């Protein structure tokens, strides 16, 4: 039997993975986490399916027309044409609510026809038959503005929910270990930096797994609703989103752990993590208000905290050159390394300090 004195010391990689397994296992054993994840996936699937079927099945209006006006009505979108012999027959259908309206000839009208309605004519019909000047589009949009908005919102919501959920989990775990003095036992067995790295790795694995599941749900929903064209266009942006999210989350996770290490009570977590929460929320709100502003979106795609949302949106709408995501990723990686070094220093200097909140300057000085 081998004595304890001959036992091999644990390597840094083993220590990191041991902590990561502990973080992953505690989450997977949590019924609240599993239920909330299931609800999130069902909501995502329902949203994709409802949006897809709604876009594939626009509502139609039943419109009556005489032989003289049938060609005019047929040219309108989302119209179900009912052809009648004359104006009297058209009026009969309108009054009996068999059609929404009717388009009949009128010699005294400049257009040559009028709309008959029982109470109010459908707006789409009136707009479709209105005379408007010819429009020449010099720079046609490559994507539907509404689809662009939905894609931006989708990336923003996923980033916001995943980063805030797992960032908050890291913060609560750090403070809980301080409160219960478990951290003193942990760092007597493994280095402090290995403890931090394990927490970041474990929660990153969980966050990325959730991202992959959401992406799979979106793909299934788009295939079921027959939106193959949208699926082909969003494939590359989703992959880039995954890459940017990976490093963006590592950056935030290290800062969340550092911020939580500066306090010793669960009630004080908000005071140190609030700035980080604002950084997580900023991309979501900015992309809502400026998703159609190329200048603001370009700037956001190079800012590390908003790049995981802004750059995939620009790639989807075709506004980014091939080299731009690479440059943005390099900037994010450099920032990520800097955040990890600063976060590790704060974490190491604050972890064993109990009682009052540790000031940032003190945490950095040690």
């Amino acid at each position: 039997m081998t004595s304890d004195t001959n036992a091999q010391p644990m390597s840094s990689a083993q220590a990191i993975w041991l902590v990561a397994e502990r973080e992953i296992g505690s989450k997977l054993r949590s019924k609240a986490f599993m239920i909330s994840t299931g609800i999130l996936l069902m909501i995502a699937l329902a949203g994709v399916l409802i949006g897809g079927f709604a876009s594939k099945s626009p509502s139609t209006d039943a419109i009556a027309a005489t032989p003289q006006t049938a060609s005019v009505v047929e040219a309108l979108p989302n119209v179900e044409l009912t052809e009648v012999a004359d104006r009297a027959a058209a009026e009969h259908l309108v009054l009996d609510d068999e059609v929404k309206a009717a388009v009949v000839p009128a010699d005294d009208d400049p257009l040559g026809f009028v709309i008959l309605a029982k109470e109010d004519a459908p707006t789409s019909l009136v707009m479709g038959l209105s005379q408007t000047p010819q429009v020449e589009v010099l720079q046609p949009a490559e994507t539907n503005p509404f689809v662009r908005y939905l894609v931006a919102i989708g990336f923003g919501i996923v980033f916001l929910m995943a980063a805030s959920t797992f960032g908050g989990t890291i913060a609560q775990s750090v403070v809980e270990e301080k409160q219960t003095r478990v951290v003193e036992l942990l760092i007597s067995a493994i280095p402090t930096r290995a403890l931090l790295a394990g927490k970041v790795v474990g929660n990153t694995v969980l966050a990325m797994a959730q991202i992959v599941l959401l992406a799979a749900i979106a793909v299934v929903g788009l295939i079921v609703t027959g939106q193959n064209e949208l699926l082909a266009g969003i494939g590359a942006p989703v992959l880039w989103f995954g890459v940017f999210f990976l490093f963006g989350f590592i950056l935030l996770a290290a800062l969340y752990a550092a911020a939580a290490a500066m306090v010793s009570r669960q009630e004080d977590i908000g005071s140190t993590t609030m700035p980080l929460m604002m950084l997580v929320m900023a991309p979501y709100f900015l992309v809502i208000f400026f998703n159609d502003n190329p200048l603001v979106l370009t700037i956001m795609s190079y800012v590390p905290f908003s790049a995981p949302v802004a750059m995939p949106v620009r790639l989807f709408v075709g506004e980014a050159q091939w080299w731009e995501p690479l440059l943005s990723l390099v900037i994010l990686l450099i920032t990520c390394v800097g955040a990890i070094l600063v976060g590790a220093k704060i974490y190491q200097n604050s972890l064993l300090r109990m009682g009052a909140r540790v000031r940032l300057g003190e945490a950095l000085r040690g």
Side-chain angles (χ1 to χ4, degrees):
M1 182 175 177
T2 305
S3 64
D4 292 341
T5 57
N6 294 329
Q8 294 295 325
M10 186 182 300
S11 66
S12 296
Q14 289 175 322
I16 291 172
W17 183 242
L18 182 65
V19 176
E21 284 185 323
R22 177 173 174 268
E23 292 288 320
I24 296 172
S26 63
K27 270 295 185 184
L28 294 181
R29 288 191 297 271
S30 170
K31 291 183 179 180
F33 173 74
M34 299 303 292
I35 293 174
S36 62
T37 300
I39 292 174
L40 175 63
L41 295 178
M42 287 190 291
I43 291 175
L45 179 59
V48 174
L49 292 177
I50 292 173
F53 286 127
S55 63
K56 295 286 288 184
S57 305
S59 60
T60 59
D61 293 325
I63 306 297
T66 64
Q68 296 88 343
T69 58
S71 60
V72 176
V73 177
E74 282 179 337
L76 300 177
N78 304 328
V79 167
E80 180 183 347
L81 175 64
T82 300
E83 191 166 337
V84 295
D86 50 28
R87 178 179 178 126
E91 290 180 357
H92 177 73
L93 292 180
V94 171
L95 293 174
D96 288 347
D97 293 321
E98 296 185 25
V99 295
K100 288 282 189 70
V103 180
V104 298
D107 296 333
D108 56 345
D109 190 277
L111 295 177
F113 54 80
V114 295
I115 298 175
L116 304 179
K118 185 176 181 179
E119 294 178 354
D120 187 25
T123 304
S124 58
L125 177 64
V126 176
M127 296 296 294
L129 295 176
S130 299
Q131 285 187 325
T132 57
Q134 183 178 356
V135 178
E136 294 185 5
V137 180
L138 300 179
Q139 291 183 336
E142 296 185 6
T143 57
N144 185 300
F146 182 66
V147 174
R148 174 187 180 127
Y149 180 77
L150 289 181
V151 169
I153 290 296
F155 284 135
I157 289 178
V158 171
F159 179 81
L160 171 64
M161 295 188 65
S164 60
T165 298
F166 291 102
T169 297
I170 293 175
Q172 291 175 359
S173 174
V174 170
V175 176
E176 181 181 353
E177 290 172 354
K178 287 189 68 174
Q179 278 186 316
T180 58
R181 300 280 182 168
V182 171
V183 68
E184 297 175 7
L185 298 175
L186 291 173
I187 64 175
S188 66
I190 60 177
T192 306
R193 290 178 180 265
L195 179 59
L196 171 62
K199 288 184 176 297
V200 171
V201 170
N203 284 276
T204 300
V205 170
L206 289 170
M208 290 303 300
Q210 198 172 82
I211 295 297
V212 170
L213 288 174
L214 287 171
I217 288 291
V219 170
V220 171
L222 292 175
I223 292 175
V224 169
T225 55
Q227 301 183 80
N228 297 326
E229 184 177 349
L230 178 58
L231 178 60
I234 205 173
V238 167
L239 292 176
W240 274 108
F241 175 76
V243 174
F244 273 92
F245 179 85
L246 171 63
F247 295 105
F249 180 79
I250 292 174
L251 183 157
L252 288 168
L255 295 180
Y256 262 103
M262 296 167 64
V263 297
S264 302
R265 300 186 309 164
Q266 295 283 351
E267 297 83 357
D268 297 330
I269 293 178
S271 62
T272 56
T273 59
M274 181 57 70
L276 297 175
M277 179 58 68
M278 298 301 294
L279 290 176
V280 171
M281 294 175 64
Y284 171 68
F285 289 106
L286 288 175
V287 82
I288 291 177
F289 295 117
F290 299 106
N291 74 91
D292 57 349
N293 188 315
L295 176 61
V296 175
L297 210 58
T298 300
I299 296 173
M300 287 175 58
S301 65
Y302 289 103
V303 177
F305 295 101
S306 58
V309 176
M311 185 57 76
V313 173
R314 291 186 64 219
L315 289 168
F316 173 72
V317 299
E319 293 178 356
Q321 300 296 322
W322 66 268
W323 52 268
E324 290 192 70
L326 298 176
L327 176 59
S328 179
L329 186 59
V330 170
I331 296 173
L332 177 59
L333 287 172
I334 294 173
T335 308
C336 186
V337 172
I340 290 174
L341 294 176
V342 173
K345 187 175 183 64
I346 295 173
Y347 184 81
Q348 190 170 13
N349 293 338
S350 306
L351 196 58
L352 293 179
R353 298 182 64 174
M354 305 297 175
R357 170 185 169 183
V358 181
R359 295 184 181 276
L360 180 59
E362 295 174 0
L364 289 171
R365 287 193 301 269

